[in-house]
C-alpha cells in the first residue's frame, strides 16, 4: 500500500464500519451494512431526504439536508447528530436572511454542499436565479444564515468550494448546465478574492470517454487535501436508453492548481447495485455530496444520495482508494492542461 496522508484534522468519533460480507475486496469502497441511514418520510411534511451534506461540529456532527416537501419542492433543513449516522432534524426549514437580516428564502434549493473555510461555514446549492443556478449562504453558528451573492450566471449546478484558499483565493468547482435535465456537462474551477467576484475560470475535467461518465459529470464532496493532491469524489452520468444512471467516480487534482488532473480513475468506484440505489423516486442514482474523514487513520466516510430517496454511507481508506485511482488512472490532454483557451 502506498504512503499517503490526509492533511486535515483528526475526527476520532467519525462513523466507521470495516468491510462487510458481500463487499468485493477489489473495489476500494464498501457500503455501510445498515444503509440507508435516512429512510422515507423522515420528518413531518418531508417525503424524502437525500443529496445532503454533513460535517463534524462541536462534539458531534451537523448537516444540511435536502428535504423534498409533500408538494415535491426541495428545501434545506438542518440536522444534528452525535454519531453522523442517526440524525435529528429541525422541523422548520433553514431561514435565510440578507445582509440586513431580512428574510430571503430561495424559491427552492437542492444538492447542498457544506464547507468550512477558515472560521466560516459556507452552504452552496442549486436554486432558481432566473433558471437553475448556484445559491450561497454563510454561517458561523448554524443559527443565522446570511445569503451571499449568486456566484455564477445561470445556468449552473454542483458548486463545491475548496476547504481552504489556494494562492490566497477562494476556489470553487462548478458545472455549467442548462435549466433542465442537462444532457452534457464538464467540471470547471473559478477563483475569487472575496466570494463576490468570481473569475479566472478554468476547465478541470470533461465528461469521460468511459461510458459510465460519458454524458456529464459534476463535483461531489468538498475535495480532501492529501499529500498526493486534492481527492475529489464526483458523480458521473451515463445516458442509457432507459434514463440517466449516476455513479461515484474519484480523481486527484493538483494541490496548487486544481485545474490540473493528476489522476482520474477510469472505473466508477460505486454504482447502483443495492435496493436503496436501484429503487426509489428515481432509480439508479448514487450522488455524493459530503465526506467525513480522519487524518490520523486515513478513514473516509462518503455520504451519498441514493435513488433520489435516501441518504447512504460508504467507506474507504485513503491509501486504498488512492492506490486504486492511480492503478486505474487514465487522464486525457484536456484533463492535464491548465484549462484555458
Ligand atoms: C440531477 C440533480 C440531482 C439528482 C439527479 C438525479 O440533475 O437534480 O439532485 O439526484 O439529477 O435525479
Amino acid at each position: 500500500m502506498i504512503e499517503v496522508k490526509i492533511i486535515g484534522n483528526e475526527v476520532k468519533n467519525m462513523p466507521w464500519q470495516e468491510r462487510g460480507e458481500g463487499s468485493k475486496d477489489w473495489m476500494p469502497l464498501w457500503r455501510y451494512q445498515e444503509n440507508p441511514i435516512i429512510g422515507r418520510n423522515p420528518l413531518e411534511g418531508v417525503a424524502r431526504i437525500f443529496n445532503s451534506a454533513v460535517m463534524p461540529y462541536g462534539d458531534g456532527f451537523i448537516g444540511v439536508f435536502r428535504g423534498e416537501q409533500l408538494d415535491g419542492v426541495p428545501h434545506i433543513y438542518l440536522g444534528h447528530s452525535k454519531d453522523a449516522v442517526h440524525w435529528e432534524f429541525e422541523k422548520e426549514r433553514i431561514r435565510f436572511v440578507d445582509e440586513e437580516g431580512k428574510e430571503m428564502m430561495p424559491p427552492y434549493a437542492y444538492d447542498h454542499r457544506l464547507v468550512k473555510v477558515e472560521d466560516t461555514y459556507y452552504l452552496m446549492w442549486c436554486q432558481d436565479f432566473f433558471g437553475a443556478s448556484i445559491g450561497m449562504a454563510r454561517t458561523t453558528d448554524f443559527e443565522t444564515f446570511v445569503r451571499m451573492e449568486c456566484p455564477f450566471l445561470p445556468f449552473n449546478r454542483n458548486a463545491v468550494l475548496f476547504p481552504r484558499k489556494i494562492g490566497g483565493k477562494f476556489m470553487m468547482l462548478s458545472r455549467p448546465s442548462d435549466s433542465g435535465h442537462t444532457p452534457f456537462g464538464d467540471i470547471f474551477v473559478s477563483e475569487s478574492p472575496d466570494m463576490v467576484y468570481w473569475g479566472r475560470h478554468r476547465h478541470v475535467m470533461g465528461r469521460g470517454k468511459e461510458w459510465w461518465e460519458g454524458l456529464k459529470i459534476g463535483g461531489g464532496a468538498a475535495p480532501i487535501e492529501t499529500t498526493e493532491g486534492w481527492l475529489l469524489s464526483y458523480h458521473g452520468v451515463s445516458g442509457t436508453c432507459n434514463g440517466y444512471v449516476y455513479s461515484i467516480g474519484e480523481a486527484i487534482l493538483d494541490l496548487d492548481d486544481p485545474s490540473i488532473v493528476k489522476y482520474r480513475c477510469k472505473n466508477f468506484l460505486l454504482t447502483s447495485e443495492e435496493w436503496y440505489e436501484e429503487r426509489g423516486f428515481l432509480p439508479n442514482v448514487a450522488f455524493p455530496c459530503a465526506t467525513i474523514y480522519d487524518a490520523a487513520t486515513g478513514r473516509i466516510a462518503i455520504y451519498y444520495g441514493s435513488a433520489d430517496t435516501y441518504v447512504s454511507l460508504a467507506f474507504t481508506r485513503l491509501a486504498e482508494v488512492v492506490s486504486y485511482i492511480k492503478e486505474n488512472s487514465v487522464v486525457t490532454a484536456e484533463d492535464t492542461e491548465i484549462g484555458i483557451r
Side-chain angles (χ1 to χ4, degrees):
M1 208 52 79
I2 58 165
E3 265 296 304
V4 52
K5 288 208 166 356
I6 291 175
I7 303 168
N9 297 330
E10 285 189 22
V11 182
K12 287 205 173 74
N13 57 341
M14 70 167 278
W16 184 253
Q17 187 178 62
E18 291 298 337
R19 191 184 277 284
E21 230 175 89
S23 85
K24 308 293 177 214
D25 58 9
W26 62 83
M27 292 297 282
L29 263 57
W30 60 93
R31 292 171 176 80
Y32 183 51
Q33 289 180 55
E34 280 70 51
N35 272 346
I37 61 166
I38 302 172
R40 284 184 188 261
N41 302 304
L43 183 66
E44 189 179 334
V46 174
R48 302 179 303 280
I49 280 182
F50 57 100
N51 298 7
S52 300
V54 300
M55 63 159 36
Y57 187 65
D59 58 1
F61 299 87
I62 202 152
V64 288
F65 293 86
R66 169 178 176 164
E68 225 84 336
Q69 320 279 292
L70 302 188
D71 60 6
V73 178
H75 283 288
I76 316 180
Y77 289 79
L78 197 63
H80 307 267
S81 176
K82 284 274 169 237
D83 60 6
V85 173
H86 303 90
W87 289 91
E88 276 176 27
F89 304 108
E90 294 195 359
K91 286 199 168 46
E92 301 301 327
R93 64 182 80 150
I94 291 178
R95 182 173 167 269
F96 292 98
V97 296
D98 64 14
E99 298 283 353
E100 275 73 54
K102 211 163 98 245
E103 186 166 283
M104 186 184 179
M105 296 298 281
Y108 60 78
Y110 63 82
D111 297 354
H112 325 96
R113 275 68 168 192
L114 174 63
V115 185
K116 187 180 184 199
V117 186
E118 293 161 6
D119 295 327
T120 305
Y121 298 87
Y122 296 94
L123 281 73
M124 57 233 75
W125 61 82
C126 180
Q127 68 161 59
D128 179 63
F129 173 47
F130 303 92
S133 199
I134 306 301
M136 275 189 89
R138 62 170 192 270
T139 183
T140 49
D141 55 9
F142 288 95
E143 280 171 22
T144 306
F145 294 84
V146 181
R147 290 285 301 278
M148 298 163 65
E149 292 291 332
C150 288
F152 305 122
L153 293 170
F155 308 106
N156 203 316
R157 287 189 176 92
N158 298 304
V160 184
L161 192 64
F162 281 74
R164 70 164 168 84
K165 290 181 180 168
I166 301 174
K169 302 285 181 358
F170 294 102
M171 303 288 279
M172 191 151 69
L173 301 173
S174 73
R175 208 280 307 284
S177 67
D178 65 15
S179 208
H181 297 300
T182 314
F184 62 89
D186 294 354
I187 299 177
F188 289 76
V189 66
S190 310
E191 65 174 56
S192 173
D194 54 7
M195 292 262 200
V196 175
Y197 297 99
W198 291 90
R200 291 174 62 93
H201 312 291
R202 302 285 183 264
H203 185 267
V204 178
M205 49 198 259
R207 63 207 95 165
K209 62 181 175 44
E210 317 305 340
W211 288 14
W212 68 270
E213 55 172 349
L215 187 80
K216 57 178 170 177
I217 57 173
I224 301 175
E225 188 170 6
T226 79
T227 48
E228 285 281 350
W230 294 103
L231 175 64
L232 174 69
S233 306
Y234 66 97
H235 67 259
V237 183
S238 173
T240 74
C241 63
N242 200 27
Y244 291 178
V245 175
Y246 285 68
S247 308
I248 302 179
E250 301 269 351
I252 298 176
L253 313 180
D254 186 82
L255 276 186
D256 300 321
D257 182 352
S259 77
I260 296 172
V261 181
K262 288 178 68 183
Y263 307 102
R264 175 175 182 173
C265 189
K266 72 180 172 64
N267 302 330
F268 57 74
L269 285 93
L270 187 148
T271 196
S272 294
E273 288 169 4
E274 296 294 334
W275 66 265
Y276 49 86
E277 295 154 352
E278 289 183 336
R279 211 161 69 220
F281 183 72
L282 209 118
N284 302 322
V285 183
F287 195 94
C289 287
T291 55
I292 294 178
Y293 49 88
D294 174 36
T297 56
R299 291 174 170 181
I300 301 173
I302 300 173
Y303 287 77
Y304 65 101
S306 42
D308 282 8
T309 304
Y310 309 104
V311 175
S312 298
L313 196 47
F315 299 105
T316 188
R317 282 193 174 83
L318 180 70
E320 207 169 327
V321 72
V322 170
S323 302
Y324 186 82
I325 296 168
K326 288 174 80 167
E327 278 159 25
N328 294 284
S329 175
V330 175
V331 285
T332 62
E334 236 185 45
D335 295 334
T336 47
E337 67 186 4
I338 301 285
I340 184 168
R341 284 181 185 164

